Amino acid sequence: MKVNIDTFEGIEKPVYVLEEDRLRDNLKLISGVAKKADVEIILAFKAYALWKTFPIFKEYINATTASSLSEARLGFEEFGKPTHTFSPAYTDYEIEDIARCSSHLSFNSLSQYKRHHAKAHEANKLLSFGLRVNPEYSEVETLLYNPCAPGTRFGVTSDLLPEQLPADIEGFHCHTLCESSPEEFQRTLAHIEEKFSKWFSQLKWINFGGGHLMTRKDYNTDLLVQILTDFHKRYPHLHVILEPGSAFGWQTGPLVSQVVDIVENKGIRTAILNVSFTCHMPDCLEMPYHPKVRGAETLENIENEAEVMKANPYVYRLGGNSCLSGDFMRNWKFDHELKIGENVIFEDMLHYTTVKTNTFNGISHPAIALVHSDGEFENLREYGYEDYKNRMD
C-alpha cells in the first residue's frame, strides 16, 4: 500500500518508518566524503542494525563495525563481510567465534590483548589486531556518552603503552566523539597526535571511531575532508577508518504513535500514547533530549506547567504506556486539541532507537516499516507476544 508520509493517515498502530530516499541521501553523502578524503567509512551497528536494509547499504559502503558476538555475526552473515570489532571485554567462551566473524579486532586493554590474541589468531589467521587508546580529551558534555570522562573504562592511556608495541598490533582505535562537529574532531585530533603519534610508524591503520555526524545539516563536510586529507599528508602510510552510526540513520524517518487517552492531575494535562519513552525512545530520558514532534512546538524549561496549560489548552505532556512513573516528557504545544486515536509523530527515530528498545512491561513493540522511493509502504517486521515470551526463555 501507499501512505501519506506527512500524516501517516490510516496507520493505527505504532511503527518506526524508514524512508528509503532519506537513507539513500545520507549514504550518498557519506560515500562521497569517504572518496574525497580517501578514507573508509563503515556502519556501526550500535546505532543502526536494520539488516533487511543492508542491500541498500552495500551499494555505498563495504564494511560494518561490531561490539559483540551478535553484532559480529550480523555483519558476517547478513552484510556478508567480516566486521571491524571492538568490545570493552572479550570473554573466553566467545573470543574464537568473534574472531571468525571479524577482519579487525581491537582490544580495550593490554591485559585483554595478552589474554586473547593468541586464541583469536588461531581462530582467524587473517585478523588485524588493534588497541583502543584514550587521548584523555573529549568535548562530549553529557558524561553518560563521554568515552574519555575521568575514570573511564575505555582505552589505554599513552603512559601505559610500551615504546615498542607488540609485533601483531597493527592499528589504534580511538573513539572520543558523540554527534560531534568537524571542529570538535579537529581539536580532539590534536590531542590524539600529541599523545600517540610516536607510535604511528609502527601501525598500518587508525580508526577514529564514531560520532562524526556528517549528515547533520549544519555539518561542514568540506572541513572534515580537509582535516582527513591533511592527516594523510602527515601519515601517508596509515589507512584511516571512521565508523559513525547516527550519521547513517540521521533524519531518515519517524516513530508514528497514537493517542489513547488524555488525563489531568492538578492542572497537568497528559496525552498518553501507545508507545513508551523508556521502552522505545530511551535516549530521550537518558541524554536527556526533547524529540521533535511533527506539527508541535517544543516548550522547554516551563516553571509552572499548570498555569501554562490553563492559558493554552493545546499544551500537553506526552506520556508513555509503561508503569514507570517517569515515562513521560514535557511539554509540547499543538495547534489543536488532541483526540484519542490521532497520530503523534516523533521525528528522527531510526538511530539509537530500534537497537535499544526493550520489552519492559511486555509492552507491544512498534512495527518496523520501509517506505520505498515509489511511495510503497512495506512492513518489514511486526512484533507480538512470542517476541516478549521468547526473551524470558
Side-chain angles (χ1 to χ4, degrees):
M1 69 173 183
K2 295 186 184 294
V3 297
N4 183 330
I5 60 174
D6 293 324
T7 65
F8 293 97
E9 185 178 355
I11 301 297
E12 298 177 349
K13 292 182 179 179
V15 57
Y16 295 102
V17 182
L18 174 66
E19 298 177 33
E20 181 180 347
D21 284 347
R22 291 189 181 191
L23 176 63
R24 286 188 180 276
D25 286 343
N26 284 355
L27 286 163
K28 289 172 186 174
L29 184 148
I30 290 168
S31 87
V33 169
K35 289 174 184 175
K36 289 176 186 175
D38 189 25
V39 300
E40 184 176 16
I41 304 180
I42 60 182
L43 169 66
F45 288 153
K46 66 180 181 179
Y48 181 103
L50 298 181
W51 58 270
K52 289 185 178 180
T53 64
F54 287 176
I56 298 174
F57 277 78
K58 289 194 285 187
E59 295 179 31
Y60 302 90
I61 65 169
N62 296 316
T64 60
T65 178
S67 302
S68 64
L69 174 56
S70 292
E71 287 188 345
R73 283 191 60 181
L74 189 71
F76 188 67
E77 296 175 9
E78 300 299 336
F79 197 87
K81 297 282 184 66
T83 61
H84 296 235
T85 306
F86 163 79
S87 173
Y90 300 109
T91 60
D92 292 335
Y93 52 86
E94 289 185 338
I95 186 63
E96 291 172 294
D97 288 334
I98 287 176
R100 281 189 280 267
C101 294
S102 304
S103 60
H104 297 65
L105 195 71
S106 293
F107 294 97
N108 188 53
S109 66
L110 289 165
S111 57
Q112 277 270 297
Y113 163 77
K114 291 173 183 176
R115 183 178 183 89
H116 294 302
H117 79 103
K119 188 184 288 188
H121 176 73
E122 187 61 30
N124 180 359
K125 291 183 170 54
L126 298 178
L127 266 180
S128 180
F129 291 130
L131 282 176
R132 177 158 177 168
V133 293
N134 177 6
E136 303 174 78
Y137 177 88
S138 174
E139 298 184 21
V140 178
E141 294 181 357
T142 303
L143 287 181
L144 184 66
Y145 298 99
N146 186 341
C148 297
T152 182
R153 70 193 193 280
F154 292 130
V156 183
T157 53
S158 58
D159 59 304
L160 296 179
L161 285 176
E163 289 294 318
Q164 183 64 43
L165 296 172
D168 56 355
I169 292 294
E170 297 183 333
F172 278 168
H173 177 191
C174 188
H175 180 75
T176 62
L177 309 175
C178 178
E179 297 187 358
S180 301
S181 68
E183 290 83 1
E184 290 171 279
F185 174 51
Q186 189 171 43
R187 292 188 291 269
T188 303
L189 182 57
H191 288 264
I192 295 172
E193 291 188 59
E194 178 187 354
K195 294 278 188 178
F196 298 105
S197 61
K198 70 177 184 178
W199 287 281
F200 285 0
S201 62
Q202 301 177 43
L203 304 177
K204 294 181 179 179
W205 54 267
I206 187 164
N207 184 329
F208 289 123
H212 308 267
L213 194 49
M214 60 191 78
T215 50
R216 189 176 61 201
K217 285 184 179 179
D218 63 349
Y219 190 99
N220 187 346
T221 55
D222 289 338
L223 177 57
L224 176 63
V225 170
Q226 188 61 56
I227 293 166
L228 295 170
T229 300
D230 290 344
F231 183 85
H232 273 308
K233 291 177 182 177
R234 295 191 295 275
Y235 312 101
H237 70 289
L238 285 179
H239 176 64
V240 176
I241 304 160
L242 276 62
E243 49 177 44
S246 293
F248 286 96
W250 190 257
Q251 297 288 348
T252 54
L255 170 59
V256 182
S257 68
Q258 289 77 38
V259 178
V260 295
D261 198 10
I262 309 289
V263 299
E264 271 199 46
N265 188 309
K266 303 296 184 183
I268 305 297
R269 185 167 47 251
T270 303
I272 300 181
L273 310 175
N274 52 4
V275 296
S276 162
F277 289 100
T278 191
C279 295
H280 309 135
M281 297 172 278
D283 275 357
C284 295
L285 300 181
E286 291 175 2
M287 186 74 169
Y289 79 95
H290 260 93
K292 184 178 179 181
V293 174
R294 190 170 300 181
E297 177 187 353
T298 304
L299 304 179
E300 297 191 58
N301 303 317
I302 292 179
E303 292 184 5
N304 193 325
E305 280 183 277
E307 289 298 319
V308 171
M309 290 183 177
K310 183 178 180 180
N312 192 323
Y314 302 156
V315 175
Y316 298 84
R317 285 184 181 182
L318 296 179
N321 59 343
S322 80
C323 290
L324 178 70
S325 297
D327 189 5
F328 72 92
M329 293 196 73
R330 54 188 177 194
N331 292 276
W332 286 267
K333 183 172 74 173
F334 292 81
D335 60 4
H336 64 283
E337 179 184 354
L338 293 182
K339 302 292 185 182
I340 292 173
E342 76 170 275
N343 285 342
V344 171
I345 301 170
F346 292 93
E347 303 284 16
D348 193 22
M349 280 293 160
L350 266 294
H351 57 93
Y352 282 109
T353 48
T354 51
V355 292
K356 294 182 75 170
T357 56
N358 60 74
T359 59
F360 172 59
N361 269 180
I363 289 171
S364 296
H365 193 289
I368 300 175
L370 174 65
V371 175
H372 293 279
S373 297
D374 62 2
E376 191 68 22
F377 183 91
E378 179 187 358
N379 229 335
L380 299 179
R381 180 77 155 85
E382 290 189 346
Y383 298 84
Y385 168 67
E386 293 300 326
D387 298 290
Y388 168 69
K389 179 185 175 184
N390 290 340
R391 290 189 63 156
M392 304 300 112
D393 282 351

